[in-house]
Amino acid sequence: MFLNKKKLFLAISIFLTFFFLAYNDVKSQEIEIIEGKSVVIDGDTIKIGSEKIRFSGIDAPESYYKGKEQICLKKNVKISCGKLSKEFLIQKINNQKVTCEIESKPDRYKRKLGECFINNKSLSRLLVKNGYAFDYPRYSKKKYAKDQEYARANKLGLWDMKFEFPWDFRKNI
C-alpha cells in the first residue's frame, strides 16, 4: 500500500512538472497584438498609441540617423531615399487601421519588434517588394528575399537608383 502511494505521488509529480513546462512553453509563444491608427516614424518604424514598433526582418533607408539623412542617386540627382521610403509607407497605410503581431523580445533600442498588416497584407512585404526597404538577412532568415529579388529584377523603388544598404550607411557614419 505504501509503495503504491509513493509511485502515485511520483507519477503525479512528473505529470505536473511536464504540464507546467508545456504550459509555459505555449504561453511564451503567444503573440501580442497591437492595432489602431498609426503614425509613420520612418520606412520601417511606426507608432500606435504610445508604442513604437520596428518592423522585424527588414531595413529601410534612414531619413535621419545621427544627424544625417541617407541619400540615393537617380540620374546624378540626389534624393533622400529615407524620405521616399517613409512616404511610400504613409501612402500604403493611408489612415487605415494597422494590426501588428509583436515578438516577445524588443530590439536593442527597446522598441517592440513585429510584423504589421493592413487588410491582412504585410507592410514589410509591400515595402520590400516595391523596393523601399530591404530584406535584412541578419534578422530575417531571408523571409523577404524573394520579394527583394522581384524588386531588384524589376528595378522598383530604390533598385532604380544608386544606393547604399541602410546597415552599411549606419556603419559608415
Side-chain angles (χ1 to χ4, degrees):
M1 181 83 166
F2 175 73
L3 192 56
N4 286 341
K5 285 183 181 180
K6 197 172 181 181
K7 285 182 181 178
L8 180 62
F9 177 75
L10 183 61
I12 290 172
S13 297
I14 291 170
F15 171 78
L16 288 173
T17 300
F18 281 115
F19 173 78
F20 285 114
L21 287 173
Y23 174 78
N24 283 335
D25 189 43
V26 169
K27 188 177 176 184
S28 69
Q29 293 178 15
E30 289 178 5
I31 297 173
E32 177 186 0
I33 303 291
I34 297 176
E35 59 185 8
K37 295 287 182 181
S38 67
V39 174
V40 175
I41 306 300
D42 65 19
D44 55 19
T45 307
I46 63 172
K47 194 171 186 180
I48 298 177
S50 62
E51 300 289 351
K52 209 175 212 184
I53 303 162
R54 166 76 161 76
F55 297 171
S56 60
I58 70 167
D59 202 4
E62 299 293 340
S63 43
Y64 189 80
Y65 181 75
K66 293 186 177 181
K68 298 192 179 199
E69 65 180 327
Q70 190 169 347
I71 301 297
C72 298
L73 292 174
K74 184 170 184 171
K75 298 179 183 173
N76 292 323
V77 174
K78 291 182 179 183
I79 297 171
S80 172
C81 40
K83 287 180 184 173
L84 272 180
S85 181
K86 180 179 179 177
E87 287 300 317
F88 179 84
L89 184 56
I90 289 169
Q91 289 175 356
K92 286 298 172 188
I93 293 174
N94 194 25
N95 290 320
Q96 297 177 78
K97 181 177 82 169
V98 177
T99 302
C100 300
E101 296 176 357
I102 304 300
E103 296 177 6
S104 59
K105 294 181 181 178
D107 70 4
R108 62 184 177 178
Y109 303 107
K110 307 287 187 230
R111 296 176 296 192
K112 292 185 180 266
L113 291 169
E115 187 169 6
C116 298
F117 303 84
I118 50 168
N119 300 322
N120 295 320
K121 290 185 181 174
S122 166
L123 291 170
S124 297
R125 198 166 296 285
L126 283 169
L127 283 158
V128 174
K129 193 165 189 171
N130 287 282
Y132 291 97
F134 304 99
D135 179 66
Y136 202 174
R138 181 175 176 187
Y139 300 106
S140 71
K141 299 178 184 163
K142 297 187 178 184
K143 180 177 180 177
Y144 305 103
K146 287 182 182 177
D147 299 303
Q148 181 166 293
E149 181 52 33
Y150 175 85
R152 188 195 66 73
N154 290 286
K155 296 186 187 245
L156 299 176
L158 304 175
W159 292 101
D160 191 35
M161 305 177 198
K162 290 183 182 178
F163 66 87
E164 187 175 25
F165 286 108
W167 49 87
D168 291 332
F169 172 77
R170 288 188 300 271
K171 184 173 65 175
N172 293 328
I173 288 184

